[in-house]
Amino acid sequence: MTSRPITTDVLIIGAGAAGLMCAIEAGKRGRTVLVLDHANKAGKKILMSGGGRCNFTNTDISPDNFISHNPHFCKSALSRYTQWDFIALVERYNIAYHERDLGKLFCDSSAKDILNMLLAECEQAQVTLQLECLVDSVENTNDGQFDIHTNQGYFRAASLVIASGGLSIPKMCASPLGYQLAEQFGHHIWPTSAGLVPFTLHTQDKASLAELSGISVLSEVSNPRARFRENILFTHRGLSGPAILQISSYWQPGEAVTVNLLPDMDLLGWLKEQHAARPNSKLKTALAELLPRRLIPALLGTEVADTPLQSFSHARLAAVAGQLQQWSLKPNGTEGYRTAEVTLGGVDCNELSSRTMQSSKVDGLYVIGEVVDVTGWLGGYNFQWAWSSGWCAGQVV
Ligand SMILES: Cc1cc2nc3c(=O)[nH]c(=O)nc-3n(C[C@H](O)[C@H](O)[C@H](O)COP(=O)(O)OP(=O)(O)OC[C@H]3O[C@@H](n4cnc5c(N)ncnc54)[C@H](O)[C@@H]3O)c2cc1C
């Protein structure tokens, strides 16, 4: 015997950044809103974000900071609910925050402040949260409603919002449900892959670079599609740091990336000056003025590093400059979803309304946040996409 469904105007799957924002906005419009999540807590990724301080947005947001097969898609949502709108909300709650490099905004105290703000807004908007709720199946009824069967009962909703996020960090409750549901409703899904993720190295590079673990250097990292100037970090597993995470979202397996460890200088000119001024100095002694000492033999080899400058021809100095300013590094792979901050690819934007996030395949179905094929750079862009897309859907669901 099938029990009677619990009815609601809007059912949102996923109590993360996008789902909570959508719920708040829909609730404020007087819609009854139920948010389901299989986790035991809402907003787990918000809590772990930005090293616990949540880089909740960026002062400088442009469509160029997002990766998608349809680069125009994000424009409408980002311009309808901007970073200034979210900052105004944060200020209304008197949450102290600060700006770091490249316009990144972080909480002074804790990411909890952002989650508590969203939960307070949900409460005011009379949103119901149902946690530890496992979705068994979702069906479209003949009268255009959605039936959602779960371990906590059977729900019926006029609007269904998929806000279950991407695949990164399965330990934090990430799951493929959003992609599966979108596919079930006839949507095309662009292949997914891990983005904003550390690189792993081939055995030989790993052995020579392992001792550099902990060193961080401002670098410019590039490939033919993108270029980022931020720190790189050597780790015991490979390479990380903001510049590496950024380029990882533009990296294809098998490709090399170019690392310029001294992006702001004419290194060859400087080496020639040193060659003339202190010919007896070893190369590593001179370069230690520019780079961490341990890095030099690891990248150039001990023999070269120990050679006095006077033994270098200008052509060999040019080769040294090339090794440090055009270091061609071929990663073995990435650390994958285990540590990635985001998922690239996802629900094809061309089958969603850029204004409302509604599906063009099924009336009443909406897809928001990371499950959509819109991936932001590091720096608060992914949360801004979640806020903006969630807000847009929240106006119409
Ligand atoms: C370690 C880390 C740090 C990050 N730091 C930042 C940062 O500082 N700034 C920034 O902009 N971005 C950051 N990000 C990215 C950002 O967290 C995400 O892009 C953002 O949370 C996406 O929002 P969302 O609502 O789409 O998905 P999520 O916030 O992931 O929410 C999805 C929700 O759906 C639920 N769910 C999943 N599957 C199911 C299912 N089968 N049934 C029911 N519920 C389900 C999940 O439990 C979760 O609550 C970080 C990510 C990680 C992993």
Side-chain angles (χ1 to χ4, degrees), residues 119-183:
L119 294 176
E121 287 281 293
C122 279
E123 202 175 321
Q124 266 180 46
Q126 300 189 349
V127 169
T128 307
L129 281 185
Q130 195 119 4
L131 299 173
E132 297 182 314
C133 185
L134 307 179
V135 176
D136 294 326
S137 68
V138 178
E139 284 151 29
N140 213 193
T141 65
N142 292 336
D143 56 353
Q145 306 250 337
F146 296 90
D147 279 352
I148 299 98
H149 294 266
T150 76
N151 65 335
Q152 293 181 19
Y154 155 37
F155 303 94
R156 179 162 289 174
S159 295
L160 175 68
V161 183
I162 300 176
S164 51
L167 298 169
S168 57
I169 325 253
K171 271 194 186 157
M172 281 293 128
C173 298
S175 89
L177 181 71
Y179 306 105
Q180 290 162 352
L181 290 177
E183 206 161 31

Side-chain angles (χ1 to χ4, degrees), residues 205-268:
D205 286 334
K206 199 173 167 188
S208 60
L209 300 179
E211 68 202 68
L212 303 180
S213 181
I215 290 181
S216 173
V217 188
L218 175 72
S219 305
E220 188 171 272
V221 184
S222 60
N223 70 9
R225 295 174 293 286
R227 178 177 296 270
F228 295 97
R229 183 178 294 204
E230 287 184 73
N231 280 358
I232 66 167
L233 173 69
F234 294 85
T235 72
H236 60 281
R237 287 194 297 265
L239 273 179
S240 186
I244 293 295
L245 300 183
Q246 298 277 35
I247 203 77
S248 75
S249 295
Y250 290 86
W251 180 75
Q252 301 289 333
E255 278 183 356
V257 295
T258 303
V259 182
N260 181 348
L261 292 158
L262 289 162
D264 289 317
M265 70 180 296
D266 167 13
L267 179 58
L268 177 56

Side-chain angles (χ1 to χ4, degrees), residues 334-367:
T334 73
E335 289 186 5
Y337 293 120
R338 191 177 59 80
T339 60
E341 283 199 14
V342 279
T343 303
L344 292 152
V347 178
D348 193 333
C349 300
N350 291 338
E351 297 169 352
L352 300 175
S353 155
S354 62
R355 194 174 160 78
T356 65
M357 304 292 137
Q358 184 166 200
S359 157
S360 61
K361 302 268 173 191
V362 179
D363 273 356
L365 178 68
Y366 299 79
V367 191

